[in-house]
Amino acid sequence: MFTDKVARNFLVVLFLFVSAPAFAAEDKLIKLDTRPGVSVAVYYMKRDGATATVVLLSGGGGGIGLKKDVPTSTNFLVRTRDLFAANGFNVAVVNRPTDHELDYEFRVSSEHIHDLRQVVAYVKKDTGLPVWLVGTSRGTTSAAAAGIAFGNEELAGLVLTSSITRAKKIGAVASLELEAIRIPVFVLHHEKDSCEATVPRDVPRIIDKLKNAPVKKLIMVNGGAGASGDPCEPLHWHGFIGMDKEAVDLIADWIKNPKG
């Protein structure tokens, strides 16, 4: 005979057993055919009650460290995807296309913009919610280039974190035609970022060139702890190490209420 305590424990275990597959089913890897013979994998995290969808664009070569169809990269945006979801967003973590590493030149190419347009179209059709592009490091080149190319109806806004500022780099954000962007833009940067491609003192130039963005905001942070390794990698200040939740909350709060 079951005691009340045993019965309660049994019901809890049964609930978890039945519910777990449903929760897991919300997160899945999808593959979108974006160009002839080319596909882009997207780790898609759909949430009940979401108010918007954030499309996360990592830096480097654009890979997200897929293992058994789950991202494992330590890239700032990849490792914080659950924090974005916890803030009430659907999340789409975008992998590089099957035909190309995402070097600087390719990130401003028409092919890459086409790929991103297909990703945005998919999540927008699937949810009907506003879509924000969120890029970090080289991902800011992708996000800014897409913001320039896309119409206002496709995107709700852009978030640029650890932006590429070095003028000699193809696709440096301030070198792009930012005047063409007519959607809200949030720029987040770490004061201690010592990567040669993302120099903090040059970040205000991005804001200056966003002349037609209806709302724009720059926040320089100085938190975190435990920076180590290459200063251009995600475990350094460049990747907001030690302040994941604080950084994501700043982004999420601004997306929910964009203001200058």
Side-chain angles (χ1 to χ4, degrees), residues 31-231:
K31 294 184 179 179
L32 303 178
D33 295 326
T34 56
R35 289 175 280 126
V38 177
S39 64
V40 173
V42 178
Y43 192 71
Y44 192 29
M45 303 164 64
K46 196 173 177 181
R47 295 293 184 266
D48 290 339
T51 57
T53 300
V54 291
V55 174
L56 306 183
L57 307 175
S58 67
I64 60 176
L66 286 173
K67 292 184 179 179
K68 296 183 179 179
D69 290 346
V70 176
T72 63
S73 170
T74 57
N75 177 269
F76 166 60
L77 293 180
V78 179
R79 71 173 189 254
T80 60
R81 61 187 182 275
D82 287 319
L83 294 174
F84 280 96
N87 269 286
F89 301 129
N90 298 318
V91 180
V93 187
V94 183
N95 196 30
R96 68 176 185 82
T98 53
D99 70 332
H100 214 289
E101 289 285 329
L102 295 184
D103 54 30
Y104 288 101
E105 187 171 355
F106 191 77
R107 285 182 183 271
V108 295
S109 69
S110 59
E111 292 89 350
H112 181 50
I113 298 305
H114 181 80
D115 290 344
L116 291 179
R117 180 168 265 130
Q118 303 310 303
V119 173
V120 169
Y122 176 88
V123 297
K124 193 158 190 176
K125 181 179 180 180
D126 188 55
T127 66
L129 295 174
V131 178
W132 288 72
L133 288 185
V134 184
T136 196
S137 195
R138 290 190 205 177
T140 61
T141 297
S142 297
I148 292 166
F150 290 10
N152 292 4
E153 294 182 358
E154 293 176 87
L155 294 175
L158 303 176
V159 176
L160 310 175
T161 73
S162 302
S163 299
I164 300 298
T165 62
R166 189 178 180 187
K168 292 182 179 179
K169 293 286 188 184
I170 295 174
V173 176
S175 72
L176 302 176
E177 296 178 8
L178 301 183
E179 298 87 349
I181 294 177
R182 299 179 183 275
I183 52 179
V185 182
F186 181 58
V187 180
L188 183 69
H189 213 92
H190 202 293
E191 289 182 0
K192 297 179 182 177
D193 191 336
S194 53
C195 178
E196 64 176 8
T198 56
V199 181
R201 68 174 179 271
D202 295 332
V203 178
R205 293 183 58 232
I206 296 172
I207 294 294
D208 291 343
K209 288 196 66 177
L210 289 165
K211 298 182 184 301
N212 295 308
V215 187
K216 56 187 178 181
K217 179 73 173 181
L218 166 62
I219 291 183
M220 301 291 289
V221 296
N222 194 20
S228 63
D230 189 328

